[in-house]
């Protein structure tokens, strides 16, 4: 099953004259293409009313405002007042989400460098004053942008280097200062026009966003035509290919990054928290390292009448808010409609908060965490998780490969499961392995495996819609 995650286009100039005639249709096509959020960065106070109007008329749209260095306009008192007023009004309505785009453009030099630097400094101060993040534009001015951010500091709500195409050193510098980066259609270009491969080597998806930069930067195969947000999936695919990551990972993580950066409200689709068989279940992800032949995700949109297909993934804070006051006696279970340990830090953060309140925590997992987190995570379970239920479903590597179809090679995946079970035994009071009853695996073989591994065994009914 493929998760049907929605995307965020964090930089779309829908206020541009190019869209005057058909902007509503453009937003409609974006929605159909799976783009749930659109951030429109208007480039001068005079355009702010358009941004606000678009945001008011379309649930998907939010806006940002600043004086773009390529406008060639002086930042006089009227411009300052216009920007400040538009952003403050937009903030009051929950529609203005950033100061931007602003920055330095020494390619066009529509204004002298000194003047551009002064304007940039004013915007950084405005972001601080309004408690908003900042969207930064930079062309042929990397050193001056870095120097300015070093001296002025990144505003507390953060900043994003939009249309990022720097090298690994620039990327690392940005990441170390808490800056986000966002990639555009140039990830689909060839040769020198695309960002250098080195910038993807250490790419951290949690601080990476996607954008079309509509109407510019049209991705392959639409080059030469007007760009629009409906092409964002091509950018997502380009980033996935360049970074060697699965498309689901890119969609899930970049949308969460955009929501976190801009403070966008969630639209989960399915339940992130639900009650099932006397416990509270937490649905963190629909992604999984396996593709089990019997997986409930293949034939139902949920379990026990609860819709679990997510359109985006929740933060720890959102899950804790949805859980509310959990009775101490009640068990909270990280569920298996996807593999929760893919979101390991979030699992721990939630478990830590629940344990502080004296709650009980169970982790349902397929035991693949060492492969996805790059280390044995079982010592981190200590004190956070009371019970671990490892869905093994097969008595040996060959059957595991056949039934659970892990992404990693069969032997490696099987070894990871066994090591996870052994590690969990040392750090968690109760560990069981489970198998789905309806599958053609002899329960005796599973019991023998559990005995060999020194843990309990439970034959479970397949989850039913
Ligand atoms: S491990 Fe669980 S969520 Fe993943 S494919 Fe198997 S049954 Fe589905
Ligand atoms: Zn732009």
């Amino acid at each position: 099953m493929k998760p049907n995650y929605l995307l965020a286009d964090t930089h779309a100039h829908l206020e541009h004259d190019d869209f005057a005639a058909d902007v509503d249709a453009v937003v409609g096509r974006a929605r159909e293409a799976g783009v749930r959020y659109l951030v429109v960065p208007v480039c001068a106070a005079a355009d702010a009313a358009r941004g606000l109007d678009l945001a008011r008329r379309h649930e998907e749209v939010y806006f940002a405002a600043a004086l773009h260095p390529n406008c060639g306009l002086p930042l006089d008192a009227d411009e300052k007042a216009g920007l400040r007023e538009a952003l403050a009004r937009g903030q009051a309505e929950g529609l203005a989400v950033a100061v931007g785009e602003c920055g330095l453009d020494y390619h066009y030099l529509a204004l002298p460098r000194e003047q551009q630097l002064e304007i940039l400094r004013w915007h950084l101060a405005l972001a601080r004053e309004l408690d908003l993040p900042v969207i930064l534009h930079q062309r042929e001015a990397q050193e001056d942008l870095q120097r300015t951010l070093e001296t002025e500091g990144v505003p507390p709500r953060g900043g994003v280097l939009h249309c990022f195409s720097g090298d690994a050193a620039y990327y690392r510098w940005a990441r170390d200062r808490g800056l986000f980066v966002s990639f555009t259609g140039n990830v689909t270009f060839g040769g020198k026009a695309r960002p250098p491969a080195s910038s993807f080597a250490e790419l951290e998806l949690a601080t990476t966003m996607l954008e079309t930069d509509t109407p510019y930067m049209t991705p392959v195969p639409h080059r030469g035509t007007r760009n629009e947000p409906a092409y964002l999936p091509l950018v997502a695919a380009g980033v996935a290919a360049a970074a060697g990551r699965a498309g689901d990972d890119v969609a899930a993580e970049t949308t969460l990054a955009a929501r976190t950066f801009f403070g966008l409200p969630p639209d989960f689709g399915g339940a992130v928290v639900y009650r099932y068989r006397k416990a509270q279940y937490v649905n963190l992800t629909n992604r999984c390292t396996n593709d089990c032949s019997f997986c409930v995700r293949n034939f139902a949109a949920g379990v026990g009448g609860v819709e679990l297909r997510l359109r985006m993934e929740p933060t720890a804070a959102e899950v804790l808010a949805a859980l509310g006051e959990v009775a101490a006696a009640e068990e909270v279970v990280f569920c298996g409609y996807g593999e929760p340990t893919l979101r390991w830090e979030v699992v721990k953060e939630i478990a830590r908060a629940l344990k502080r309140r004296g709650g009980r925590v169970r982790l349902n997992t397929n035991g693949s965490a060492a492969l996805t987190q790059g280390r044995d995570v079982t010592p981190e379970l200590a004190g956070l998780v009371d019970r671990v239920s490892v869905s093994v479903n097969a008595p040996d590597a060959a059957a595991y490969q056949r039934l659970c179809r892990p992404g990693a090679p069969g032997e490696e995946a099987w070894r990871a499961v066994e090591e996870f079970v052994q590690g969990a035994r040392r750090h968690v009071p109760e560990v069981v392995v489970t198998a789905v009853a309806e599958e053609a695996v002899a329960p005796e073989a599973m019991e023998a495996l559990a005995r060999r591994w020194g843990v309990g065994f439970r034959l479970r009914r397949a989850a039913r819609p």
Side-chain angles (χ1 to χ4, degrees):
M1 171 247 178
K2 280 259 164 272
N4 196 21
Y5 290 135
L6 300 178
L7 301 174
D9 186 347
T10 60
H11 201 105
H13 288 291
L14 296 179
E15 88 288 4
H16 200 284
D17 286 343
D18 283 15
F19 294 106
D22 65 343
V23 70
D24 293 350
V26 168
V27 172
R29 282 198 292 276
R31 194 183 309 129
E32 275 163 36
V35 180
R36 174 60 183 81
Y37 302 101
L38 295 155
V39 177
V40 175
V42 306
C43 296
D47 289 338
R50 279 199 211 179
L52 181 61
D53 175 60
L54 282 166
R56 280 181 177 157
R57 288 195 297 110
H58 297 282
E59 203 195 342
E60 294 81 1
V61 176
Y62 296 84
F63 80 99
L67 182 61
H68 195 293
N70 291 353
C71 286
L73 296 173
L75 183 65
D76 56 21
D78 284 351
E79 185 67 31
K80 286 180 183 172
L83 289 170
R84 192 182 262 118
E85 204 179 292
L87 285 168
R89 179 174 322 158
Q91 272 184 297
E93 295 182 38
L95 302 174
V97 292
V99 170
E101 59 179 307
C102 52
L104 306 172
D105 197 312
Y106 295 172
H107 180 78
Y108 290 112
L109 274 178
L111 292 172
R113 293 173 192 219
E114 256 323 306
Q115 205 176 338
Q116 293 194 34
L117 284 161
E118 199 185 311
I119 294 174
L120 170 59
R121 285 193 289 268
W122 182 81
H123 282 98
L124 293 172
L126 182 66
R128 217 169 270 124
E129 176 191 321
L130 299 178
D131 194 29
L132 287 171
V134 63
I135 301 170
L136 296 161
H137 170 100
Q138 179 274 118
R139 192 162 176 195
E140 295 172 25
Q142 183 184 319
E143 274 181 31
D144 274 6
L145 181 74
Q146 288 178 293
R147 203 173 308 122
T148 307
L149 288 169
E150 294 287 4
T151 42
E152 304 294 311
V154 176
R157 283 282 311 278
V160 56
L161 303 179
H162 113 86
C163 193
F164 188 78
S165 56
D167 61 12
Y170 186 31
Y171 174 72
R172 243 177 264 129
W173 173 87
R175 191 193 52 198
D176 292 348
R177 277 146 196 83
L179 290 163
F180 282 42
V181 295
S182 87
F183 290 100
T184 181
N186 62 350
V187 295
T188 69
F189 299 172
K192 286 211 166 89
R194 58 180 291 129
S198 66
S199 64
F200 294 98
E202 294 175 26
L203 189 67
E204 179 186 85
L205 286 178
T207 51
T208 297
M209 304 194 287
L210 306 177
E211 63 175 69
T212 54
D213 203 7
T214 285
Y216 317 106
M217 304 298 275
T218 312
V220 174
H222 301 290
R223 286 191 83 176
T225 67
R226 181 187 72 174
N227 195 5
E228 64 172 75
Y231 299 156
L232 191 67
L234 295 166
V235 178
V239 170
R245 299 292 301 266
D248 296 338
D249 293 343
V250 170
E253 298 206 38
T254 58
T255 298
L256 189 55
R259 290 210 298 115
T260 310
F261 184 83
F262 292 109
L264 306 175
D267 179 8
F268 297 123
V272 297
V273 168
Y274 61 103
R275 183 171 290 283
Y276 183 62
R277 293 180 186 162
K278 290 193 254 169
Q280 293 267 27
Y281 281 69
V282 175
N283 183 24
L284 281 185
T285 181
N286 289 172
R287 293 178 279 157
C288 190
T289 51
N290 287 0
D291 180 22
C292 301
S293 56
F294 50 84
C295 180
V296 65
R297 299 174 312 154
N298 292 331
F299 57 85
V303 170
V306 181
E307 166 81 38
L308 295 181
R309 205 155 276 177
L310 297 174
R311 296 196 284 226
M312 57 191 64
E313 297 182 347
T315 62
E318 286 165 344
V319 169
L320 288 166
L323 276 169
E325 285 300 311
V326 180
E330 198 163 41
E331 189 175 39
V332 173
V333 184
F334 289 96
C335 94
Y337 199 81
E339 172 50 38
T341 60
L342 282 171
R343 307 203 58 209
W344 183 237
E345 295 306 318
V346 176
V347 167
K348 283 193 295 180
E349 195 177 333
I350 296 167
R352 213 174 288 126
L354 292 170
K355 292 313 279 181
R356 269 200 300 271
R357 304 181 203 157
R360 289 193 303 135
V361 177
R362 169 155 54 107
L363 173 65
N364 287 355
T365 173
N366 64 18
S368 63
L371 297 177
T372 57
Q373 305 306 312
R375 65 182 188 278
D376 172 17
V377 301
T378 57
E380 298 159 44
L381 291 164
L384 293 185
V385 173
D386 305 284
R387 288 211 281 166
V388 173
S389 177
V390 188
S391 169
V392 177
N393 301 302
D396 56 55
Y400 188 71
Q401 175 72 36
R402 205 169 52 245
L403 275 173
C404 297
R405 303 186 292 212
E411 282 294 340
E412 192 190 344
W414 180 252
R415 211 170 30 248
V417 174
E418 175 169 6
E419 283 167 12
F420 182 89
V421 170
Q422 295 309 328
R425 269 180 69 199
R426 284 192 287 278
H427 302 288
V428 176
E430 189 184 338
V431 180
V432 295
V433 298
T434 70
V436 171
E438 289 84 343
E439 292 308 315
V441 168
E444 307 77 53
M446 290 303 304
E447 273 164 21
L449 174 79
R451 261 199 310 279
R452 234 182 19 256
W453 284 359
V455 294
F457 168 66
R458 192 166 61 82
L459 198 63
R460 62 190 169 88
R461 278 176 291 156
R464 286 288 165 236

